Amino acid sequence: MQIQQRHKTVAVDVGGVMVGGGHPIVVQSMTNTDTADVEGTARQVAALAAAGSELVRITVDRDEAAAAVPKIRDRLAQLGVQVPLVGDFHYIGHKLLAEHPGCAEALDKYRINPGNVGFRNKRDLQFAQIVEMALKHNKPVRIGANWGSLDQELLTRLMDENSKQPEPRDAREVMHEAMVQSALLSAERAEEIGLPKNRIILSAKVSAVQDLIAVYSELARRSDHALHLGLTEAGMGSKGVVASSAAMGVLLQQGIGDTVRVSLTPQPNGDRTLEVQVAQELLQTMGLRTFVPLVAACPGCGRTTSTTFQELASDIQGFIRDSMPGWKARYPGVETLTVAVMGCIVNGPGESKHADIGISLPGTGEQPTAPVFVDGKKVATLRGPTLTADFKQMVVDYIERRFGNGVKAAE
């Protein structure tokens, strides 16, 4: 099954990164530091950018955080990091943007939630104030409806209307409609105030896979705004990875989505960049973008009681990911490289031949030799305690030959 043609959306320029309009799907992430901590936040932003995040969102929730934003931007410049910054505003965004013009200017995009931008008679006024600040500073806005903070007045009205119908819809369907309308009505208000469509990104994030698919499918059907995908409160560990991949994978397969974030709950003191890695792997696995060389490795079985191939696969994958920032500059196209690390002779030689460079390690009871294949041809046999180092050097040499001067290693 082929991926459907991309849903046509209007392109939005976010600090030089194009979102929508047929441009490559953008990976974004969010810090979990206290934004008032300038050094800590700047370093986490830098780490996320180095991992491949193309947009980074930071929380702007109080005066101290807003005052820190220009300093964070300056610190990032000192670190040589130019990733666009998105400010996440809730409840008092209108006040913070007005009272901290340096913050309003330093950010590349504002993110607001129509469910908590203001309440009752203040909602339209405070929403308008944020949009007017975006106009003043020439910034795009993501209008992000969220399941956990849905506009209750809108939901109540739709529920009341539904109850009067001859055949009322399921309450969950009404909630889906409330999410879609919340995003669309807010975008309509923003455009009425003067914010053009090419400076509006929409999202409607929920926490259940089937709900997310239903909401975004309808949102895409009724709008050509650029769309940000994300399963909110996805969870921790494999649960968060699987849920996010399942939900966004279906939507991406349908051609829906211009930018993505995988909202993983990190382990205590865990690596925040994991959410970037998962987003990249999702897009690369689906064939939508290429970020890093692909390392194929067998899962192991009773034939592979030795952990040598597991350790080598892990070592090679980590080595490649850590080296990519420098390799991208030196070796154009290196992200298309494929590497195979296989554990026995059953599928090892065949998979290794299909990769650009591959190794078939000996399984349990097999001869302690490891043939290496380059561009489908056997070129060496490795053995002994230096096997890992030797294969790693062969990978580096292959990259230098193929991508350093444009000549394939086999030529």
Side-chain angles (χ1 to χ4, degrees):
M1 180 183 295
Q2 292 186 340
I3 292 175
Q4 295 180 23
Q5 185 176 0
R6 288 276 299 279
H7 172 61
K8 292 182 179 179
T9 58
V10 176
V12 180
D13 185 342
V14 182
V17 174
M18 299 305 297
V19 176
H23 292 279
I25 298 168
V26 174
V27 171
Q28 62 177 279
S29 59
M30 186 175 183
T31 60
N32 62 352
T33 56
D34 179 356
T35 305
D37 175 5
V38 173
E39 185 64 22
T41 301
R43 291 201 172 276
Q44 190 174 83
V45 170
L48 290 165
S53 183
E54 294 157 310
L55 299 176
V56 178
R57 183 157 50 112
I58 60 177
T59 297
V60 188
D61 58 346
R62 64 194 196 281
D63 287 309
E64 293 82 358
V69 172
K71 299 174 184 177
I72 293 169
R73 171 61 74 196
D74 291 343
R75 182 66 180 120
L76 289 171
Q78 293 173 356
L79 296 171
V81 178
Q82 299 180 344
V83 66
L85 289 180
V86 180
D88 194 59
F89 294 98
H90 297 277
Y91 305 110
I92 59 171
H94 62 292
K95 176 177 178 290
L96 294 175
L97 286 168
E99 295 180 1
H100 297 274
C103 169
E105 183 56 40
L107 293 169
D108 295 286
K109 184 178 74 172
Y110 310 152
R111 187 269 183 173
I112 58 176
N113 183 336
N116 59 32
V117 72
F119 300 97
R120 297 185 178 86
N121 61 333
K122 292 183 179 180
R123 178 184 291 112
D124 289 344
L125 174 61
Q126 293 175 184
F127 180 87
Q129 289 173 338
I130 294 176
V131 172
E132 286 165 358
M133 291 300 295
L135 286 167
K136 178 179 178 181
H137 294 280
N138 195 30
K139 307 294 181 180
V141 174
R142 171 158 75 92
I143 298 172
N146 193 290
W147 194 254
S149 49
L150 184 56
D151 184 337
Q152 291 302 303
E153 291 181 27
L154 173 62
L155 178 59
T156 299
R157 177 172 61 79
L158 291 178
M159 285 290 190
D160 288 343
E161 292 174 357
N162 183 61
S163 67
K164 298 173 184 177
Q165 298 300 313
E167 297 182 6
R169 292 185 294 173
D170 179 80
R172 205 164 194 86
E173 292 181 34
V174 179
M175 292 185 75
H176 293 168
E177 177 63 19
M179 288 287 293
V180 173
Q181 284 199 28
S182 179
L184 292 179
L185 290 172
S186 296
E188 185 178 315
R189 292 191 197 108
E191 291 182 58
E192 288 172 352
I193 295 167
L195 194 66
K197 187 173 285 188
N198 66 359
R199 282 171 42 201
I200 298 174
I201 296 173
L202 298 184
S203 67
K205 297 172 74 172
V206 301
S207 56
V209 170
Q210 296 299 337
D211 291 324
L212 192 84
I213 294 169
V215 168
Y216 271 93
S217 296
E218 184 64 13
L219 188 58
R221 188 182 71 81
R222 290 158 60 174
S223 169
D224 62 353
H225 287 92
L227 297 180
H228 166 71
L229 294 188
L231 187 76
T232 190
E233 290 92 39
M236 182 180 287
S238 60
K239 186 271 181 185
V241 173
V242 171
S244 293
S245 299
M248 289 193 283
V250 171
L251 291 167
L252 292 167
Q253 182 74 20
Q254 295 174 357
I256 297 171
D258 300 296
T259 174
V260 301
R261 181 194 172 205
V262 176
S263 301
L264 297 179
T265 303
Q267 297 286 345
N269 301 313
D271 187 355
R272 189 67 169 181
T273 64
L274 178 60
E275 67 176 49
V276 179
Q277 181 180 337
V278 173
Q280 288 183 330
E281 290 178 353
L282 171 61
L283 294 176
Q284 182 155 339
T285 300
M286 294 191 68
L288 293 166
R289 288 193 64 182
T290 304
F291 297 97
V292 296
L294 179 65
V295 179
C298 68
C301 65
R303 299 180 61 93
T304 56
T305 54
S306 168
T307 61
T308 301
F309 87 94
Q310 298 168 333
E311 293 165 355
L312 179 57
S314 177
D315 191 8
I316 291 296
Q317 187 157 289
F319 171 67
I320 287 173
R321 185 167 286 277
D322 291 343
S323 302
M324 276 304 291
W327 283 355
K328 279 186 177 181
R330 293 174 56 196
Y331 305 117
V334 68
E335 64 274 8
T336 64
L337 177 73
T338 58
V339 181
V341 180
M342 305 301 294
C344 75
I345 61 173
V346 174
N347 294 316
E351 288 287 349
S352 297
K353 289 178 183 178
H354 289 309
D356 293 322
I357 179 169
I359 185 170
S360 178
L361 296 169
T364 304
E366 295 172 5
Q367 292 296 318
T369 60
V372 176
F373 298 84
V374 172
D375 294 332
K377 298 179 181 179
K378 181 179 175 182
V379 297
T381 300
L382 303 181
R383 56 174 61 86
T386 63
L387 184 151
T388 296
D390 292 342
F391 182 66
K392 187 183 292 186
Q393 186 59 52
M394 292 185 73
V395 172
V396 172
D397 291 343
Y398 180 88
I399 290 172
E400 177 64 40
R401 288 195 302 270
R402 178 175 172 184
F403 301 102
N405 56 17
V407 179
K408 286 201 68 170
E411 294 179 352

